[in-house]
């Protein structure tokens, strides 16, 4: 349970003195994770042959899951999706609304919640203590995104084309994002330990 213990111990003592303070701190961390994902979604490169763009979201999703743990990580991604559904332009390319969730890329958005949970669950069990196991945890979280995203995409492009349009072209980029997220994890902990959660 490394991530949960570290995240909780990283909070200022005053935030840990009451259940209300602890709740507020957790809410701040969850909101911060959703905002990081929204910021990463600004990195969006459309591809002419598929409705799925290259984005920075995967990097943020996996990093947030590793930092916040399973429950808070999943809550952060659920909040991110809710922000987009509410009309905030937080999805890839500045998009928003129910049409995005019901469209070809909607499965990937749902998969973000599962990915953060999986990555966080493994981090809580010590997989975030070494770079290699951190990368493996994030890779498994990334698989969770595809388990939701590719079948959803298949409903629009057909089951035969879905892996070619929604999986294969993104594997090299996702591998790079996993490496970058793994390298960024110590820095993320440094920030969480030193920044008041209310300011995140």
């Amino acid at each position: 349970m490394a991530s949960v213990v570290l995240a909780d111990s990283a909070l200022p003592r005053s935030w840990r003195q009451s259940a209300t303070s602890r709740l507020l701190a957790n809410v701040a961390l969850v909101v911060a994770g959703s905002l990081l994902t929204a910021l990463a979604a600004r990195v969006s490169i459309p591809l002419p042959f598929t409705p799925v763009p290259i984005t920075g979201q995967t990097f943020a999703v996996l990093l947030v899951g590793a930092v916040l743990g399973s429950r808070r990580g999943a809550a952060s991604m659920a909040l991110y999706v809710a922000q987009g559904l509410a009309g905030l332009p937080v999805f890839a390319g500045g998009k928003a609304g129910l049409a995005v969730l019901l469209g070809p890329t909607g499965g990937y958005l749902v998969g973000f919640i599962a990915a953060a949970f999986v990555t966080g669950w493994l981090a809580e069990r010590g997989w975030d203590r070494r770079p290699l196991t951190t990368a493996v945890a994030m890779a498994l979280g990334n698989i969770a995104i595809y388990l939701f995203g590719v079948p959803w995409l298949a409903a629009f492009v057909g089951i035969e084309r879905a892996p070619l349009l929604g999986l294969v072209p993104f594997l090299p980029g996702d591998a790079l994002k996993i490496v970058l997220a793994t390298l960024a994890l110590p820095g993320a902990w440094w920030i969480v330990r030193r920044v008041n959660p209310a300011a995140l």
Side-chain angles (χ1 to χ4, degrees):
M1 300 179 66
S3 291
V4 171
V5 172
L6 282 172
D8 289 341
S9 64
L11 303 179
R13 182 177 300 175
S14 61
W15 282 72
R16 300 197 305 256
Q17 289 178 345
S18 71
T20 300
S21 297
R22 186 165 182 152
L23 175 62
L24 291 174
N26 285 329
V27 168
L29 291 170
V30 167
V31 171
S34 72
L35 295 179
L36 175 63
T37 308
L39 182 63
R42 292 294 178 178
V43 179
S44 179
I45 304 173
L47 299 175
F49 58 88
T50 175
V52 184
I54 296 173
T55 75
Q57 290 162 300
T58 305
F59 166 85
V61 169
L62 300 177
L63 183 61
V64 168
V67 172
L68 298 188
S70 58
R71 289 178 294 178
R72 286 180 292 195
S76 187
M77 293 306 104
L79 176 60
Y80 167 71
V81 174
Q83 289 166 349
L85 290 178
L88 298 178
V90 297
F91 295 150
K95 296 180 180 178
L98 182 61
V100 178
L101 185 62
L102 297 180
T105 60
Y108 296 94
L109 294 172
V110 176
F112 290 167
I113 302 171
F117 182 89
V118 169
T119 304
W121 188 86
L122 293 171
E124 289 164 358
R125 283 148 183 81
W127 288 50
D128 61 345
R129 295 175 186 171
R130 294 184 300 170
L132 179 58
T133 53
T134 297
V136 172
M138 290 183 176
L140 293 173
N142 200 50
I143 290 172
I145 296 175
Y146 286 125
L147 287 177
F148 283 86
V150 176
W152 194 300
L153 178 64
F156 295 86
V157 302
I159 193 169
E160 299 85 3
R161 299 179 64 209
L164 296 176
L165 299 182
L167 171 61
V168 176
F170 303 97
L171 293 177
D174 282 345
L176 176 60
K177 284 180 274 188
I178 288 170
V179 171
L180 293 176
T182 298
L183 294 175
L185 184 58
W189 279 125
W190 186 89
I191 293 171
V192 169
R193 283 195 297 265
R194 287 163 175 76
V195 177
N196 187 326
L200 289 175

